[in-house]
Amino acid sequence: IPVGQRSDPALSNEHLIKRAAALVTDSTQTLLSQTTYALIDSLTEYTKAVYTLLSLHKKYTSLLDKMNSSEESAICQVIIGARVQMKKLQDEYLKYEASWTRAVSLSEMAAEAAYQAGADHASVTVRNHIQLVQIQVEETRELAQRAEALLVASQSEEIMKTVTEDKKHPPDEGSPEEVPESYLRED
Amino acid sequence: IPVGQRSDPALSNEHLIKRAAALVTDSTQTLLSQTTYALIDSLTEYTKAVYTLLSLHKKYTSLLDKMNSSEESAICQVIIGARVQMKKLQDEYLKYEASWTRAVSLSEMAAEAAYQAGADHASVTVRNHIQLVQIQVEETRELAQRAEALLVASQSEEIMKTVTEDKKHPPDEGSPEEVPESYLRED
């Protein structure tokens, strides 16, 4: 680490700081691009997983009356698997979101340092880049939130359907297919 | 700006972020070195200016009784010039101190981003670099503060001397050399 040494004594401190600050904006922009890509990528994968789970819920709800015990168990296993996968992808996008947030902060600070060092062009470029990626991430986030809202709605629907089913078959009696006779006997 | 594009699709997001974070630490280290150099350089120049002023004060104080009006006026002009120069160098080092502080903050954030991205070596290198320059700056600052303390002491000394002089020649009578007779007449 060349601390306190000028790479070219002919250049002024001011000029060297300006150049170094511009270099920092270059590298923070690369980090910002990479974290943005990773976040958008992982958010998109997560959104797909939410839609997968959503379609499974719909299928389960539509078939609820027509399935036997083993069919229901099979589709439940698939739903559980899809939920695990969605959770995994959510953790991943949250991790990349943290990286992205750090990259944005770093870029903002680099833009400020460049501006103060007189590297105005580099500063403006970074600020524009930050704005651009914020819009991109916001759009991708909205798609994910729309999917999440649909999932919540489908779950309420499913719960309502289950409640309707439960009026016919109380839950403490076990699965309805297994004990319909005992239920009828106690009525 | 290649937003959301991988430079090599074979590489994982994680790896690309780690590499980009390491690059950020490289560039922040360059900025940190340059701003440290500039700060130490300007602090040293400022310290020299304080010592120059200090020696002028001492000279002025030692010659106070032996100078005539024009000699005193001449040395006062030199002192005023030295004060202006000291103030100019102080402004300069304060400007570089602000740059340096920003570079330290940027480096700390870059170290954190590198650590979170798994670039542990880069993170540790930056943290060590920060510690090193903080020690260097602190030492240089102490030299400046010692000079400032001596200057304050010399000014008190000068004031005391002036007060002693003033007992013989009250200040509202103008410069002692100009009006000793009127002073004596009023006694």
Side-chain angles (χ1 to χ4, degrees):
Chain A
I1 310 154
V3 177
Q5 285 186 348
R6 287 193 250 209
S7 48
D8 182 356
L11 294 168
S12 71
N13 282 331
E14 209 144 341
H15 184 86
L16 289 170
I17 290 172
K18 183 176 161 180
R19 206 170 59 176
L23 274 172
V24 171
T25 64
D26 285 352
S27 65
T28 56
Q29 287 202 84
T30 304
L31 182 64
L32 189 57
S33 293
Q34 297 296 358
T35 53
T36 301
Y37 181 80
L39 176 55
I40 287 177
D41 200 23
S42 59
L43 251 174
T44 306
E45 289 304 310
Y46 164 71
T47 307
K48 280 188 209 163
V50 175
Y51 276 113
T52 301
L53 187 57
L54 185 63
S55 72
L56 286 170
H57 278 186
K58 281 202 196 299
K59 195 169 178 182
Y60 176 78
T61 311
S62 69
L63 295 175
L64 203 56
D65 303 333
K66 299 149 200 156
M67 287 184 290
N68 64 29
S69 163
S70 74
E71 279 167 342
E72 200 183 334
S73 167
I75 202 167
C76 273
Q77 285 306 312
V78 175
I79 287 176
I80 289 165
R83 265 194 230 276
V84 168
Q85 176 66 3
M86 187 189 78
K87 187 73 188 66
K88 196 194 121 209
L89 292 168
Q90 188 180 38
D91 289 347
E92 198 164 293
Y93 103 69
L94 289 172
K95 189 189 77 185
Y96 285 127
E97 196 171 52
S99 301
W100 181 77
T101 306
R102 266 192 299 275
V104 169
S105 302
L106 254 170
S107 301
E108 280 169 350
M109 205 182 264
E112 178 62 19
Y115 175 75
Q116 295 291 344
D120 298 22
H121 179 71
S123 176
V124 168
T125 306
V126 177
R127 289 201 201 280
N128 288 343
H129 190 183
I130 294 169
Q131 275 197 313
L132 181 66
V133 301
Q134 278 174 332
I135 291 165
Q136 289 179 319
V137 165
E138 202 40 57
E139 283 170 355
T140 315
R141 234 184 228 140
E142 276 167 19
L143 293 177
Q145 283 164 351
R146 198 175 308 164
E148 282 172 339
L150 287 171
L151 185 65
V152 168
S154 90
Q155 280 168 331
S156 323
E157 208 178 285
E158 195 188 333
I159 289 160
M160 277 171 65
K161 190 104 175 194
T162 311
V163 168
T164 316
E165 292 296 310
D166 288 348
K167 280 184 188 158
K168 291 184 269 172
H169 317 288
D172 58 331
E173 295 293 340
S175 130
E177 284 82 358
E178 281 164 26
V179 285
E181 292 82 10
S182 69
Y183 169 71
L184 287 169
R185 269 199 295 276
E186 279 177 24
D187 198 1
Chain B
I1 311 154
V3 177
Q5 288 186 347
R6 285 194 249 207
S7 47
D8 182 354
L11 294 168
S12 72
N13 282 331
E14 209 144 338
H15 184 86
L16 290 170
I17 290 173
K18 182 176 163 181
R19 205 169 62 176
L23 274 172
V24 171
T25 64
D26 285 352
S27 65
T28 56
Q29 286 203 86
T30 305
L31 182 65
L32 189 57
S33 293
Q34 296 297 356
T35 54
T36 301
Y37 181 81
L39 175 55
I40 287 176
D41 200 23
S42 59
L43 251 174
T44 307
E45 289 305 310
Y46 165 71
T47 306
K48 281 187 207 162
V50 174
Y51 278 112
T52 301
L53 187 59
L54 185 62
S55 74
L56 286 169
H57 278 185
K58 282 202 194 301
K59 195 169 179 181
Y60 176 79
T61 311
S62 69
L63 294 175
L64 203 56
D65 303 335
K66 300 145 199 160
M67 285 184 291
N68 64 30
S69 163
S70 74
E71 281 168 340
E72 200 183 332
S73 168
I75 202 166
C76 273
Q77 286 305 312
V78 176
I79 287 175
I80 289 165
R83 265 195 231 276
V84 168
Q85 176 67 2
M86 187 188 78
K87 187 74 186 69
K88 195 193 120 210
L89 291 169
Q90 188 179 39
D91 288 346
E92 198 163 292
Y93 102 68
L94 289 173
K95 188 189 77 184
Y96 285 127
E97 197 171 51
S99 300
W100 181 77
T101 307
R102 264 191 301 276
V104 170
S105 302
L106 253 170
S107 301
E108 280 170 349
M109 205 182 266
E112 179 61 20
Y115 175 74
Q116 294 293 344
D120 298 23
H121 180 71
S123 176
V124 169
T125 306
V126 177
R127 290 201 200 279
N128 288 343
H129 190 184
I130 294 169
Q131 275 198 312
L132 181 66
V133 301
Q134 278 174 333
I135 291 164
Q136 289 179 321
V137 166
E138 201 41 56
E139 283 170 355
T140 317
R141 231 183 229 141
E142 276 166 19
L143 294 176
Q145 283 164 352
R146 199 177 303 166
E148 282 172 338
L150 288 170
L151 184 66
V152 167
S154 91
Q155 280 168 333
S156 326
E157 206 178 284
E158 195 189 335
I159 290 159
M160 277 170 66
K161 190 104 177 194
T162 312
V163 168
T164 317
E165 293 295 309
D166 288 347
K167 280 183 185 155
K168 291 183 269 174
H169 319 286
D172 59 332
E173 295 292 341
S175 131
E177 284 81 356
E178 280 164 25
V179 287
E181 291 82 10
S182 70
Y183 169 72
L184 288 169
R185 269 198 297 277
E186 280 176 24
D187 200 2

